[in-house]
Amino acid sequence: MRSVATGLILKRKLADFFYTCSRRRVLGCFSSSSFGTVDPRKSNGRGGEEKEVPHLPVLIVGAGPVGLILSILLTKLGVKCSVLEKSVVFSRHPQAHFINNRTMELFRKLDGLAEEIQSLEPPVDLWRRFIYCTSLSGPVFGSVDHMKPQDFDKTVSPISVAHFSQYKLMNLLLQRLEKLGFSVCSPSEIEGSIWDRKILMGHECISIHPTNEGLKVGTSYLKEGKMEEREFHCSILVGSDGARSTVRKLVDIDMKGERNLQRLVSVHFLSKDLGQYLLHERPGMLFFIFNPDAIGVLVAHDLDQGEFVLQIPYYSPQQKIEDFSFKVCEQIILKLVGWKLVDVQVLDIKPWVMHAEVAEKYVSHNNRVILVGDAAHRFPPAGGFGMNTGIQDAHNLAWKISSMLSGIASPSIIQTYEMERRPIAIYNTSLSVENFRAAMSVPAALGLDPAIANSVHRVINSSLCSIFPPSLQKFALEGIFSIGRAQLSELILNENNPLGSLRLSRLKKIFDEGKSLQLQFPAEDLGFCYKEGALVAECGEKRWESEASSVHKRDLRPYIPCAKPGCRLPHMLINALKESSAKASFSTLDLISGDKIEFLLIIAPIKGSYRLARASMMVAKEFDVPLKVCIIWPKGSSDKNVNSSEKELEPWKNFIDVEEAVKPTSKSWWELCQMSSNEVILVRPDEHIAWRTESNGIADDLLELKRVFSLMLGHGKFLL
Ligand SMILES: Cc1cc2nc3c(=O)[nH]c(=O)nc-3n(C[C@H](O)[C@H](O)[C@H](O)COP(=O)(O)OP(=O)(O)OC[C@H]3O[C@@H](n4cnc5c(N)ncnc54)[C@H](O)[C@@H]3O)c2cc1C
């Protein structure tokens, strides 16, 4: 039988061989040698000229929110990277705006990003409601408040959700990247041989080829009116290039799920007058407007600034995006507003298609090509899971890439990214579809069943109708839809009309029973849990999919703190003992650094757990893994008591004593985590729990810890 240590050395050698150049360059970031000149390669460019081919450990394709977050996280963890972006400017079209609780927790670790968002976002009272009405000045069918007092009391998380437009978030991310040494370059601005920490605008990824040392990535860009090509070499390519990902197509990964759920036109416009009116009369985030002249969903991005996006359903091929000119969109806005606004300024009109699909694989080409964000999954925006899930993908991936490139983890750790994140995307897809269908229950109750509209559209699209000219098809479609919208006239929709009264009471029931579109999903937001991956699963754990399928996803479930492997570390306020800053409380989540790879072992101050902590430190050293121990003392423990930690953990120094900063009526840490104080938990750099155990139930501490670290870091199969 091969020893654990021999297995590890072998594994490390294999990783060294596999990622030789990447490691050389990662280490290079701590030396003064410039990355691009460490190992310049030459290749023939067009016209036979010799061109230098830049080599990067990580190349990210797509500078959307997910690509930018990943570049920040990797850079903080010491990994050199650059981003390719096919557009020459960043889009100002606001898409995402709801930032969920877990994403805000991650943003806390990005140099105060969460706090900055909180200082810039509109006050919560301006966006906590969804309003259903006939026009923005007409009768209201219902108004649903999506916030509860506990959303702000910081009991389950040190931060709460936010409402902040995607393009504003992008600006804050770019500022952070600039501080980390990144520069945004257009093709004509690129000079010199330093290629890392660049956001290369106007560069479209067009090809990917495996080479002996990694990947060769082809890009095209426009220079002085001519298309040019430039090649890059990289060890890892991350495709964060959005829903129509080229990277995904180039590596032949299919999507699985439902396509074309709905086509929409998204109209970005400004109107200070509308903003001021809504701010004073009916503040809200989403306005679902149904009247005989028009139907649409208005997203109030910022009432004070009067910034809105209107979503209008459209049916192709009878309706074309060209039908939605600035003038037409302005008219639709006025029909939905209900009075003549004079300051409407349409900025941009964009079509988009709603899908519910997840990539069949997230990782390919021997762990070198990885998909994140919309490139890996595309959901209906109902519930705001798209960008949030993508950002959380990046967070899951960053520490794994960093650990692998620095030799701590085996390349197979990248597989655990797919094992952990893909089931979450599958779950969030069906949750978003259920939520989208719930949103459709409102028009259905009003007599505007979208299923009927889709059937009518299918019939018009069928071969039966294809003999009619397109203009006649369009006329028929619009005629049928306007008859449908006539259901919304005041003549029908009033309490004195039996049909109208029935429909209004159906609507009331939907709102009263919470069956309309939901904004918050606490159990999924903070409570998502990895069932297998870079962790030691507990016996008897069901896999995520099978468990998920038995739950009615939209049933609003609270987040219940849990310390099982795969779960996010529960939040509790604690105080550091024996430190000058001991008085300031902080979250257990803050025990994990966002700026370096470090694992955390949480124990109670008891003999068996100290013994296990000493063994953990020893094994972590053998595995070259930074590990900190945190000893959680009950509230009221004096500094005198805690001296024992130093003695107990001798000779190890990387530990912190903290005490619970709980109210007398609150649960202790161990009760909150549903654990006994004999148990210890090992937490990963992404704040997810990798392992928990009873400290006095292990026969051989060292052997068990070697097994745990091997499994977590992908060295498992060397334990033969
Ligand atoms: C109406 C609407 C509302 C939404 N609301 C929310 C919400 O409230 N909360 C939420 O979490 N999500 C929401 N979403 C979803 C969210 O907008 C997306 O999930 C998010 O933009 C995905 O980010 P990304 O970085 O993965 O991809 P993208 O934002 O699509 O960025 C991809 C980037 O890659 C670039 N690119 C593409 N191909 C190439 C190539 N070949 N080479 C180089 N660059 C390339 C693109 O130009 C683009 O800049 C909403 C979406 C819509 C449409």
Side-chain angles (χ1 to χ4, degrees), residues 262-471:
Q262 193 165 51
R263 280 175 197 277
L264 293 118
V265 183
S266 178
V267 185
H268 181 202
F269 72 96
L270 299 177
S271 167
K272 274 256 176 204
D273 288 352
L274 181 59
Q276 289 307 307
Y277 167 79
L278 292 173
L279 193 146
H280 293 110
E281 299 299 323
R282 47 175 82 158
M285 177 199 270
L286 298 188
F287 296 82
F288 297 81
I289 314 165
F290 307 94
N291 70 46
D293 298 321
I295 287 173
V297 180
L298 185 76
V299 186
H301 276 262
D302 193 320
L303 290 179
D304 196 37
Q305 293 170 6
E307 183 170 24
F308 300 92
V309 170
L310 177 65
Q311 304 290 352
I312 316 164
Y314 86 105
Y315 293 82
S316 81
Q318 291 79 17
Q319 292 178 315
K320 298 195 165 42
I321 182 67
E322 301 82 68
D323 297 341
F324 294 88
S325 63
F326 276 48
K327 183 113 202 86
V328 168
C329 290
E330 213 175 287
Q331 283 163 356
I332 297 174
I333 292 167
L334 296 185
K335 286 177 189 167
L336 295 169
V337 167
W339 80 92
K340 184 140 177 60
L341 274 179
V342 288
D343 69 340
V344 174
Q345 191 193 350
V346 175
L347 300 177
D348 189 21
I349 300 166
K350 249 174 100 168
W352 63 281
V353 187
M354 197 188 286
H355 306 288
E357 293 183 307
V358 177
E360 286 192 325
K361 283 195 293 178
Y362 276 24
V363 176
S364 83
H365 286 64
N366 214 5
N367 302 322
R368 291 192 187 276
V369 180
I370 306 165
L371 301 179
V372 289
D374 275 17
H377 42 72
R378 33 197 202 185
F379 319 143
F385 276 102
M387 182 183 74
N388 287 300
T389 307
I391 287 171
Q392 291 159 29
D393 290 342
H395 188 243
N396 182 287
L397 182 60
W399 75 271
K400 292 178 181 173
I401 291 183
S402 172
S403 305
M404 178 190 66
L405 292 180
S406 61
I408 291 174
S410 125
S412 69
I413 197 165
I414 299 299
Q415 290 292 331
T416 70
Y417 160 69
E418 175 177 314
M419 288 159 80
E420 294 178 359
R421 294 302 303 169
R422 196 168 167 271
I424 301 293
I426 292 172
Y427 188 91
N428 287 352
T429 309
S430 39
L431 181 61
S432 306
V433 170
E434 264 189 37
N435 206 22
F436 167 66
R437 301 230 153 98
M440 293 301 124
S441 67
V442 171
L446 287 168
L448 287 175
D449 196 334
I452 298 177
N454 288 338
S455 315
V456 168
H457 184 227
R458 264 197 302 276
V459 171
I460 293 178
N461 275 346
S462 69
S463 52
L464 196 70
C465 289
S466 62
I467 49 167
F468 298 116
S471 57

Side-chain angles (χ1 to χ4, degrees), residues 402-691:
S402 172
S403 305
M404 178 190 66
L405 292 180
S406 61
I408 291 174
S410 125
S412 69
I413 197 165
I414 299 299
Q415 290 292 331
T416 70
Y417 160 69
E418 175 177 314
M419 288 159 80
E420 294 178 359
R421 294 302 303 169
R422 196 168 167 271
I424 301 293
I426 292 172
Y427 188 91
N428 287 352
T429 309
S430 39
L431 181 61
S432 306
V433 170
E434 264 189 37
N435 206 22
F436 167 66
R437 301 230 153 98
M440 293 301 124
S441 67
V442 171
L446 287 168
L448 287 175
D449 196 334
I452 298 177
N454 288 338
S455 315
V456 168
H457 184 227
R458 264 197 302 276
V459 171
I460 293 178
N461 275 346
S462 69
S463 52
L464 196 70
C465 289
S466 62
I467 49 167
F468 298 116
S471 57
L472 193 60
Q473 288 182 32
K474 184 175 170 188
F475 184 72
L477 186 81
E478 283 174 1
I480 292 167
F481 285 174
S482 75
I483 294 170
R485 286 198 304 268
Q487 308 282 322
L488 303 167
S489 79
E490 272 178 52
L491 222 59
I492 298 180
L493 220 50
N494 70 70
E495 291 294 355
N496 299 325
N497 179 316
L499 183 60
S501 155
L502 179 73
R503 286 178 177 169
L504 290 172
S505 70
R506 268 196 218 142
L507 259 192
K508 187 172 176 315
K509 193 161 180 279
I510 290 173
F511 297 134
D512 289 349
E513 291 177 0
K515 295 209 165 132
S516 57
L517 183 76
Q518 292 300 316
L519 178 65
Q520 293 222 64
F521 293 90
E524 286 75 15
D525 182 339
L526 295 177
F528 67 87
C529 180
Y530 305 134
K531 298 294 173 193
E532 54 181 358
L535 49 89
V536 186
E538 286 184 351
C539 298
E541 274 297 297
K542 286 181 276 178
R543 285 176 54 112
W544 178 263
E545 288 101 321
S546 52
E547 188 179 40
S549 60
S550 63
V551 182
H552 199 274
K553 298 179 186 64
R554 260 185 91 269
D555 285 350
L556 265 195
R557 292 174 293 133
Y559 161 71
I560 298 168
C562 175
K564 278 187 193 170
C567 293
R568 152 195 167 276
L569 178 70
H571 151 78
M572 176 186 260
L573 284 180
I574 48 178
N575 293 314
L577 290 164
K578 294 177 74 174
E579 276 184 21
S580 49
S581 60
K583 296 302 154 236
S585 299
F586 59 97
S587 168
T588 41
L589 294 166
D590 298 330
L591 291 164
I592 302 277
S593 164
D595 296 340
K596 58 182 180 195
I597 297 286
E598 188 175 64
F599 291 78
L600 175 76
L601 189 80
I602 299 183
I603 64 169
I606 55 176
K607 280 274 173 213
S609 299
Y610 278 126
R611 194 197 63 242
L612 198 65
R614 284 194 306 274
S616 303
M617 290 292 211
M618 205 181 287
V619 173
K621 186 163 188 269
E622 192 182 318
F623 279 70
D624 233 353
V625 173
L627 175 73
K628 183 161 84 182
V629 173
C630 170
I631 306 101
I632 300 193
W633 295 76
K635 187 171 171 61
S637 304
S638 70
D639 286 3
K640 213 164 83 199
N641 283 340
V642 305
N643 281 336
S644 54
S645 292
E646 208 166 324
K647 267 195 256 136
E648 291 285 353
L649 293 176
E650 196 80 66
W652 310 103
K653 298 282 176 232
N654 194 15
F655 66 89
I656 176 169
D657 285 293
V658 300
E659 70 168 344
E660 299 164 340
V662 293
K663 294 185 212 129
T665 50
S666 305
K667 289 176 177 170
S668 75
W669 168 255
W670 311 100
E671 287 164 339
L672 178 87
C673 293
Q674 304 172 55
M675 296 193 303
S676 82
S677 57
N678 280 330
E679 285 178 88
V680 305
I681 52 178
L682 180 64
V683 191
R684 312 188 310 195
D686 64 351
E687 299 160 12
H688 279 257
I689 293 162
W691 173 64

